[in-house]
mmCIF file of all heavy atoms in Angstrom:
data_model
loop_
_atom_site.group_PDB
_atom_site.id
_atom_site.type_symbol
_atom_site.label_atom_id
_atom_site.label_comp_id
_atom_site.label_asym_id
_atom_site.label_seq_id
_atom_site.Cartn_x
_atom_site.Cartn_y
_atom_site.Cartn_z
ATOM 1 N N MET A 1671 101.901 1.855 101.667
ATOM 2 C CA MET A 1671 101.448 1.164 100.464
ATOM 3 C C MET A 1671 99.978 0.778 100.583
ATOM 4 O O MET A 1671 99.216 0.879 99.616
ATOM 5 C CB MET A 1671 102.299 -0.071 100.217
ATOM 6 C CG MET A 1671 102.018 -0.748 98.870
ATOM 7 S SD MET A 1671 102.536 0.236 97.456
ATOM 8 C CE MET A 1671 104.302 -0.092 97.482
ATOM 9 N N HIS A 1674 97.833 3.791 99.922
ATOM 10 C CA HIS A 1674 97.811 4.165 98.502
ATOM 11 C C HIS A 1674 96.995 3.162 97.683
ATOM 12 O O HIS A 1674 96.276 3.544 96.759
ATOM 13 C CB HIS A 1674 99.248 4.249 97.971
ATOM 14 C CG HIS A 1674 99.396 5.169 96.803
ATOM 15 N ND1 HIS A 1674 99.108 6.524 96.864
ATOM 16 C CD2 HIS A 1674 99.784 4.928 95.518
ATOM 17 C CE1 HIS A 1674 99.332 7.066 95.693
ATOM 18 N NE2 HIS A 1674 99.738 6.127 94.854
ATOM 19 N N GLN A 1739 96.657 3.855 85.891
ATOM 20 C CA GLN A 1739 98.115 3.811 86.044
ATOM 21 C C GLN A 1739 98.839 4.026 84.716
ATOM 22 O O GLN A 1739 100.033 4.310 84.717
ATOM 23 C CB GLN A 1739 98.529 2.474 86.667
ATOM 24 C CG GLN A 1739 98.089 2.326 88.122
ATOM 25 C CD GLN A 1739 98.502 0.997 88.707
ATOM 26 O OE1 GLN A 1739 97.687 0.080 88.784
ATOM 27 N NE2 GLN A 1739 99.744 0.882 89.134
ATOM 28 N N LEU A 1746 103.298 11.410 89.625
ATOM 29 C CA LEU A 1746 104.433 10.597 90.062
ATOM 30 C C LEU A 1746 104.394 10.401 91.570
ATOM 31 O O LEU A 1746 104.281 11.358 92.341
ATOM 32 C CB LEU A 1746 105.745 11.269 89.659
ATOM 33 C CG LEU A 1746 107.025 10.499 90.034
ATOM 34 C CD1 LEU A 1746 107.068 9.156 89.312
ATOM 35 C CD2 LEU A 1746 108.264 11.325 89.717
ATOM 36 N N HIS A 1747 104.489 9.129 92.000
ATOM 37 C CA HIS A 1747 104.452 8.812 93.423
ATOM 38 C C HIS A 1747 105.279 7.545 93.635
ATOM 39 O O HIS A 1747 104.956 6.491 93.093
ATOM 40 C CB HIS A 1747 103.005 8.585 93.877
ATOM 41 C CG HIS A 1747 102.827 8.643 95.365
ATOM 42 N ND1 HIS A 1747 102.370 9.770 96.024
ATOM 43 C CD2 HIS A 1747 103.048 7.715 96.327
ATOM 44 C CE1 HIS A 1747 102.314 9.517 97.318
ATOM 45 N NE2 HIS A 1747 102.722 8.280 97.532
ATOM 46 N N ILE A 1748 106.346 7.649 94.424
ATOM 47 C CA ILE A 1748 107.245 6.523 94.680
ATOM 48 C C ILE A 1748 107.139 6.138 96.151
ATOM 49 O O ILE A 1748 107.259 6.981 97.041
ATOM 50 C CB ILE A 1748 108.705 6.872 94.337
ATOM 51 C CG1 ILE A 1748 108.818 7.376 92.893
ATOM 52 C CG2 ILE A 1748 109.597 5.655 94.558
ATOM 53 C CD1 ILE A 1748 108.423 6.353 91.851
ATOM 54 N N ILE A 1749 106.883 4.842 96.409
ATOM 55 C CA ILE A 1749 106.832 4.319 97.776
ATOM 56 C C ILE A 1749 107.766 3.119 97.853
ATOM 57 O O ILE A 1749 107.593 2.142 97.111
ATOM 58 C CB ILE A 1749 105.404 3.892 98.164
ATOM 59 C CG1 ILE A 1749 104.444 5.082 98.110
ATOM 60 C CG2 ILE A 1749 105.389 3.269 99.556
ATOM 61 C CD1 ILE A 1749 103.004 4.710 98.404
ATOM 62 N N ASP A 1750 108.770 3.212 98.740
ATOM 63 C CA ASP A 1750 109.726 2.110 98.947
ATOM 64 C C ASP A 1750 110.349 1.646 97.628
ATOM 65 O O ASP A 1750 110.595 0.447 97.417
ATOM 66 C CB ASP A 1750 109.044 0.926 99.633
ATOM 67 C CG ASP A 1750 108.537 1.279 101.024
ATOM 68 O OD1 ASP A 1750 109.111 2.197 101.649
ATOM 69 O OD2 ASP A 1750 107.559 0.643 101.482
ATOM 70 N N GLY A 1751 110.592 2.578 96.727
ATOM 71 C CA GLY A 1751 111.222 2.258 95.453
ATOM 72 C C GLY A 1751 110.265 1.780 94.371
ATOM 73 O O GLY A 1751 110.683 1.542 93.240
ATOM 74 N N TYR A 1752 108.966 1.656 94.666
ATOM 75 C CA TYR A 1752 107.985 1.196 93.679
ATOM 76 C C TYR A 1752 107.243 2.392 93.090
ATOM 77 O O TYR A 1752 106.864 3.326 93.812
ATOM 78 C CB TYR A 1752 106.983 0.238 94.320
ATOM 79 C CG TYR A 1752 107.588 -1.082 94.740
ATOM 80 C CD1 TYR A 1752 107.917 -1.319 96.073
ATOM 81 C CD2 TYR A 1752 107.823 -2.090 93.807
ATOM 82 C CE1 TYR A 1752 108.470 -2.527 96.470
ATOM 83 C CE2 TYR A 1752 108.373 -3.306 94.198
ATOM 84 C CZ TYR A 1752 108.698 -3.520 95.526
ATOM 85 O OH TYR A 1752 109.244 -4.718 95.910
ATOM 86 N N ASP A 1753 107.025 2.320 91.793
ATOM 87 C CA ASP A 1753 106.271 3.373 91.111
ATOM 88 C C ASP A 1753 104.783 3.172 91.401
ATOM 89 O O ASP A 1753 104.169 2.226 90.913
ATOM 90 C CB ASP A 1753 106.537 3.312 89.600
ATOM 91 C CG ASP A 1753 105.837 4.447 88.853
ATOM 92 O OD1 ASP A 1753 105.158 5.263 89.501
ATOM 93 O OD2 ASP A 1753 105.968 4.513 87.613
ATOM 94 N N CYS A 1754 104.231 4.060 92.184
ATOM 95 C CA CYS A 1754 102.820 3.956 92.579
ATOM 96 C C CYS A 1754 101.994 5.086 91.973
ATOM 97 O O CYS A 1754 101.002 5.556 92.555
ATOM 98 C CB CYS A 1754 102.696 3.989 94.101
ATOM 99 S SG CYS A 1754 103.563 2.640 94.929
ATOM 100 N N SER A 1755 102.387 5.517 90.797
ATOM 101 C CA SER A 1755 101.713 6.638 90.150
ATOM 102 C C SER A 1755 100.391 6.195 89.537
ATOM 103 O O SER A 1755 100.278 5.098 88.996
ATOM 104 C CB SER A 1755 102.604 7.223 89.045
ATOM 105 O OG SER A 1755 103.895 7.512 89.544
ATOM 106 N N ASP A 1828 99.780 -7.534 91.969
ATOM 107 C CA ASP A 1828 99.524 -6.307 92.713
ATOM 108 C C ASP A 1828 99.654 -5.120 91.759
ATOM 109 O O ASP A 1828 100.519 -5.124 90.878
ATOM 110 C CB ASP A 1828 100.531 -6.169 93.857
ATOM 111 C CG ASP A 1828 100.214 -5.012 94.774
ATOM 112 O OD1 ASP A 1828 99.465 -5.220 95.747
ATOM 113 O OD2 ASP A 1828 100.700 -3.891 94.513
ATOM 114 N N PRO A 1829 98.833 -4.076 91.898
ATOM 115 C CA PRO A 1829 98.926 -2.957 90.955
ATOM 116 C C PRO A 1829 100.208 -2.149 91.075
ATOM 117 O O PRO A 1829 100.622 -1.504 90.099
ATOM 118 C CB PRO A 1829 97.697 -2.106 91.306
ATOM 119 C CG PRO A 1829 97.333 -2.500 92.696
ATOM 120 C CD PRO A 1829 97.718 -3.932 92.828
ATOM 121 N N PHE A 1830 100.863 -2.162 92.237
ATOM 122 C CA PHE A 1830 102.076 -1.371 92.424
ATOM 123 C C PHE A 1830 103.322 -2.245 92.538
ATOM 124 O O PHE A 1830 104.337 -1.976 91.900
ATOM 125 C CB PHE A 1830 101.937 -0.485 93.671
ATOM 126 C CG PHE A 1830 100.804 0.505 93.579
ATOM 127 C CD1 PHE A 1830 99.910 0.659 94.620
ATOM 128 C CD2 PHE A 1830 100.617 1.271 92.435
ATOM 129 C CE1 PHE A 1830 98.861 1.556 94.544
ATOM 130 C CE2 PHE A 1830 99.574 2.180 92.337
ATOM 131 C CZ PHE A 1830 98.691 2.325 93.395
ATOM 132 N N ILE A 1831 103.260 -3.289 93.342
ATOM 133 C CA ILE A 1831 104.385 -4.233 93.439
ATOM 134 C C ILE A 1831 104.127 -5.293 92.372
ATOM 135 O O ILE A 1831 103.563 -6.355 92.627
ATOM 136 C CB ILE A 1831 104.479 -4.842 94.849
ATOM 137 C CG1 ILE A 1831 104.495 -3.742 95.910
ATOM 138 C CG2 ILE A 1831 105.718 -5.720 94.984
ATOM 139 C CD1 ILE A 1831 104.457 -4.252 97.334
ATOM 140 N N THR A 1832 104.523 -4.995 91.155
ATOM 141 C CA THR A 1832 104.037 -5.746 89.989
ATOM 142 C C THR A 1832 104.660 -7.127 89.822
ATOM 143 O O THR A 1832 104.304 -7.849 88.887
ATOM 144 C CB THR A 1832 104.275 -4.922 88.710
ATOM 145 O OG1 THR A 1832 105.662 -4.559 88.633
ATOM 146 C CG2 THR A 1832 103.436 -3.656 88.716
ATOM 147 N N ASP A 1833 105.587 -7.516 90.705
ATOM 148 C CA ASP A 1833 106.086 -8.890 90.657
ATOM 149 C C ASP A 1833 105.509 -9.726 91.802
ATOM 150 O O ASP A 1833 105.944 -10.850 92.033
ATOM 151 C CB ASP A 1833 107.613 -8.909 90.716
ATOM 152 C CG ASP A 1833 108.175 -8.254 91.972
ATOM 153 O OD1 ASP A 1833 107.385 -7.614 92.722
ATOM 154 O OD2 ASP A 1833 109.388 -8.352 92.220
ATOM 155 N N ARG A 1834 104.509 -9.171 92.482
ATOM 156 C CA ARG A 1834 103.879 -9.875 93.613
ATOM 157 C C ARG A 1834 102.516 -10.422 93.197
ATOM 158 O O ARG A 1834 101.654 -9.685 92.729
ATOM 159 C CB ARG A 1834 103.723 -8.936 94.803
ATOM 160 C CG ARG A 1834 102.953 -9.547 95.967
ATOM 161 C CD ARG A 1834 102.916 -8.604 97.163
ATOM 162 N NE ARG A 1834 101.983 -9.102 98.179
ATOM 163 C CZ ARG A 1834 100.866 -8.507 98.543
ATOM 164 N NH1 ARG A 1834 100.532 -7.354 97.993
ATOM 165 N NH2 ARG A 1834 100.080 -9.031 99.457
#
Side-chain angles (χ1 to χ4, degrees):
M1671 188 68 79
H1674 206 61
Q1739 292 180 260
L1746 181 63
H1747 197 99
I1748 305 297
I1749 299 177
D1750 297 334
Y1752 292 101
D1753 183 0
C1754 300
S1755 308
D1828 187 89
F1830 299 132
I1831 308 175
T1832 55
D1833 59 350
R1834 174 176 170 246

